[in-house]
Amino acid sequence: MTTVLVVDDQPLQRFGFRMLLDAVAETEVVGEAAHGGEAVRKAAELRPDVVLMDVRMPGMDGIEATRRITAAGDRSRVLVLTTFDLDEYVHAALRAGASGFLLKDARPEELLAGIRAVAAGDAVIAPSLTRRLLDEFARYGPVPGDDGTDDARLRSLTDREREILVAVGKGWSNGEIAARFVLSESTVKTHVGRVLAKIGARDRVQAVIFAYDHGLARPNGG
């Protein structure tokens, strides 16, 4: 059973999500919130597996709420919902610690699959969408003057793990990485898991952001 906290300032939107999620056996809505402040309080109280987070809300928005929820270190993972594909709000939410995002016009089965993926520790954003996300990062640029040489997390990586991180940053799937380095997909999965642990990333989305911020990846596969 995957527990979900629904956060949206529109009552009808929350009602629709609750109807959908309560209609399937593997998900349970344990609470609702109408703004970011309430979301932070209820996430701490209810400790849901997944927080379904709207971005634009009065008062504390979904970005700040995501930052506070993920900074708390609890098990809850945030899945951002937005009306606009790859807008600056979603970019900021991912940097704040969200595990991915979906559009509000996603099909019900896509939303359910996304919730399951996030609850399992995976990222919702597919490799092809990750590449588009890197293009969006180009508008903001990497951390100024940071080439990663002084980051202890990068120094802790083996040469192979660094290669894997670069490949993840480019948006490559496990299959693509396996083919490039002549490895089995299970071996790649193990390497990716070690990389995530060493750099402190919750999932592949956060690893992509880390790689880009440290100059290891560039838009358009660079």
Side-chain angles (χ1 to χ4, degrees), residues 92-146:
L94 292 175
R95 285 195 179 279
S99 294
F101 75 91
L102 290 174
L103 298 179
K104 283 190 175 180
D105 61 0
R107 296 190 302 274
E109 59 270 23
E110 292 175 331
L111 176 59
L112 293 171
I115 290 172
R116 287 194 298 268
V118 168
D122 295 327
V124 172
I125 300 177
S128 60
L129 196 52
T130 300
R131 294 190 179 101
R132 293 171 56 197
L133 184 59
L134 281 175
D135 290 335
E136 181 72 3
F137 284 173
R139 296 174 50 196
Y140 302 86
V143 175
D146 187 355

Side-chain angles (χ1 to χ4, degrees), residues 14-187:
R14 296 197 305 272
F15 177 77
F17 287 136
R18 177 180 282 276
M19 290 285 289
L20 171 64
L21 298 176
D22 283 347
V24 294
E26 65 267 26
T27 57
E28 177 188 6
V29 176
V30 294
E32 299 180 14
H35 55 79
E38 188 178 15
V40 173
R41 291 193 299 272
K42 289 197 172 182
E45 173 189 348
L46 301 172
R47 303 186 69 234
D49 298 313
V50 177
V51 179
L52 207 56
M53 180 74 74
D54 189 19
V55 174
R56 297 175 178 175
M57 296 179 289
M60 183 189 297
D61 63 18
I63 296 170
E64 180 59 26
T66 295
R67 183 177 294 110
R68 295 191 186 190
I69 290 171
T70 57
D74 290 335
R75 67 176 186 175
S76 299
R77 292 177 176 270
V78 179
L79 175 56
V80 171
L81 293 175
T82 180
T83 305
F84 302 100
D85 189 1
L86 289 176
D87 66 4
E88 67 274 17
Y89 296 99
V90 174
H91 175 276
L94 292 175
R95 285 195 179 279
S99 294
F101 75 91
L102 290 174
L103 298 179
K104 283 190 175 180
D105 61 0
R107 296 190 302 274
E109 59 270 23
E110 292 175 331
L111 176 59
L112 293 171
I115 290 172
R116 287 194 298 268
V118 168
D122 295 327
V124 172
I125 300 177
S128 60
L129 196 52
T130 300
R131 294 190 179 101
R132 293 171 56 197
L133 184 59
L134 281 175
D135 290 335
E136 181 72 3
F137 284 173
R139 296 174 50 196
Y140 302 86
V143 175
D146 187 355
D147 60 3
T149 56
D150 293 328
D151 195 307
R153 292 170 296 179
L154 276 181
R155 294 198 303 271
S156 73
L157 300 177
T158 65
D159 290 342
R160 173 63 81 191
E161 288 167 350
R162 189 182 179 97
E163 290 176 333
I164 296 294
L165 174 59
V166 171
V168 170
K170 291 178 178 179
W172 294 5
S173 67
N174 284 354
E176 290 171 325
I177 296 173
R180 172 65 177 81
F181 296 114
V182 194
L183 301 169
S184 69
E185 287 198 39
S186 61
T187 298

